[in-house]
Amino acid sequence: MDKIVVRGGNKLEGEVNISSAKNSVLPIIAASILSGDKCVIDNAPMLEDVNVIGEILKSISAKVDINRDNNKIIIDTSSIANCEPDSELVKKMRASFLLMGPMMSRFGSFKISLPGGCNIGTRPIDLHLKGFTALGAKVTIGHGYVKGVADRLIGNNIYLDFPSVGATENLMMAAVMAEGETTIENAAAEPEIEDLGKFLNEIGANVIGAGTDTVRIIGVKKLKGTTHRPIYDRIEAGTFMASAAITRSKIKINGVIEEHLKPIIAKLTEMGVDIKIEGESAIVDATKELKPIDIKTMPYPGFPTDMQAQIMAILCSVKGTSVITETIFENRFMHVSEMKRLGCNIKIDGRSAVIEGVDNLTGTQVKATDLRAGAALILCGLIAEGCTEVTDIYHVDRGYVKIEDKFKNLGADIKRTN
């Protein structure tokens, strides 16, 4: 099994190009089911999750061509023959549940194995299912499967108890061909949802307000194909900003949408990092002394839970006491025990982590417990004395395109090995 080996101590310099957002591309690939036509995704990130969802679509007889030479995905969903994707593939990735909404909308039914994904906490799909029920579907769970059936979907007002990203996306897709108008209140407002709304409108849907807390969908009868270029990955951009901070370096990051990164930029600036935005690039200068800070993860536009581990890595190297409170996922401190193996001083108190900065980290073998934890451990390895081996790196490959090559181009001593 692959691992990433980092020898710490190198300053970073130069430029890095950010890939398109995994969390945009996956729901867009699922939404291509709705078109019943050919859809093209340009500048797609060549990630393991993209490969898996492509195979899932193939399992229901869609044609999927993932071209790694030009980062293009061509999907033809005109030949889909059933609404029960391969259960073993579905179990590999939680985002598989995003097929429920489009299959229900286009075919009036779905049957899908309960999906898998990173073990960062309970992420129930009850909000998705209650929304489908509100649209007129009959939903049942049993024998490891979720089934939905509807003679027709009818628009309705849906209030989400929590601004769930997945539920917002699934219900948007389910409602695009429902009769009448659907309103989703307390909707998640992440940039990736706005991007999905743009894609849906490009294929002929009528979606208003995607990316705000109230989304209106006016049902249409027919959809079509399109070509779409997803937004840049704000979490990858934030991770490379964090890499400059932890190594006290200055780098340029290309593929930055300032509006999407405001909470990350605000906290890094509070820490003492100088960030200048030039168009869609950011100059990140962390060569001054950094200060401890407190952070609470919140739904967008609050500080993203997907950056919590990476910021913790920086704070382990900053003199003084910092506190991170995790409000989204109850198991998202699994990386703490691995960071302690590198010499980090972290204490967990309920949903908060108290971090005391230390002078040095020392390399050892650590395990990526989930996607962002793996990225954070690589960041720690960039400054740890000696050699750090990050195992179970398949988690990292789910969300970062050739992360070791990008760090190597910035001057890190890093390699992938078996």
Side-chain angles (χ1 to χ4, degrees), residues 19 52 66 107 273 369 374 407:
S19 301
V52 172
I66 299 177
F107 300 106
V273 180
T369 52
F407 275 125

Side-chain angles (χ1 to χ4, degrees), residues 21-227:
K22 176 194 91 150
N23 291 336
S24 249
V25 171
L26 297 181
I28 286 168
I29 291 173
S32 69
I33 293 171
L34 291 163
S35 74
D37 202 346
K38 185 169 81 171
C39 293
V40 179
I41 302 172
D42 281 333
N43 195 38
M46 295 296 114
L47 297 165
E48 182 56 28
D49 275 10
V50 170
N51 295 333
V52 172
I53 200 167
E55 291 300 315
I56 291 171
L57 260 63
K58 287 180 184 178
S59 78
I60 55 174
S61 301
K63 296 172 184 171
V64 182
D65 178 19
I66 299 177
N67 191 321
R68 289 165 180 77
D69 293 331
N70 59 9
N71 296 330
K72 181 176 288 191
I73 303 173
I74 302 171
I75 307 166
D76 185 344
T77 60
S78 61
S79 59
I80 289 180
N82 68 78
C83 296
E84 186 179 344
D86 181 272
S87 61
E88 292 306 311
L89 291 169
V90 166
K91 289 173 185 175
K92 288 184 176 182
M93 185 177 68
R94 180 166 176 83
S96 306
F97 64 67
L98 292 171
L99 274 67
M100 294 190 295
M103 288 193 295
M104 176 66 78
S105 183
R106 182 175 164 194
F107 300 106
S109 68
F110 66 81
K111 179 182 178 183
I112 189 166
S113 174
L114 290 169
C118 277
N119 185 26
I120 55 175
T122 57
R123 294 185 281 178
I125 58 171
D126 59 315
L127 296 181
H128 307 237
L129 305 186
K130 285 198 294 188
F132 294 150
T133 302
L135 294 173
K138 182 181 179 182
V139 180
T140 57
I141 301 177
H143 304 289
Y145 284 87
V146 184
K147 297 180 184 178
V149 179
D151 291 332
R152 59 178 181 158
L153 296 178
I154 300 172
N156 203 346
N157 293 334
I158 300 169
Y159 182 88
L160 296 179
D161 296 336
F162 177 83
S164 160
V165 173
T168 301
E169 293 169 337
N170 239 334
L171 297 175
M172 282 169 59
M173 293 186 283
V176 294
M177 289 195 282
E179 292 181 20
E181 183 174 323
T182 299
T183 301
I184 306 170
E185 295 183 88
N186 198 32
E190 272 75 356
E192 295 80 13
I193 291 172
E194 182 181 4
D195 201 21
L196 174 62
K198 287 180 180 176
F199 175 82
L200 292 173
N201 287 339
E202 287 168 10
I203 63 173
N206 190 351
V207 179
I208 303 151
T212 73
D213 63 2
T214 303
V215 184
R216 290 173 54 225
I217 306 103
I218 300 167
V220 299
K221 294 192 180 299
K222 188 169 175 57
L223 298 168
K224 60 184 180 180
T226 191
T227 298

Side-chain angles (χ1 to χ4, degrees), residues 189-192 234-235 237-239 241-242 256-273 275 277 293-308 311 314:
E190 272 75 356
E192 295 80 13
R234 62 194 169 99
I235 304 302
T239 300
M241 288 179 174
V256 168
I257 303 173
E258 182 179 10
E259 184 68 25
H260 298 173
L261 285 154
K262 276 187 174 178
I264 299 170
I265 291 171
K267 282 300 178 181
L268 287 172
T269 300
E270 183 184 340
M271 203 183 292
V273 180
I275 301 174
I277 304 296
I293 59 168
D294 294 345
I295 286 177
K296 178 186 284 189
T297 64
M298 296 289 286
Y300 189 87
F303 191 88
T305 181
D306 279 353
M307 277 298 300
Q308 178 252 105
I311 292 292
I314 305 168

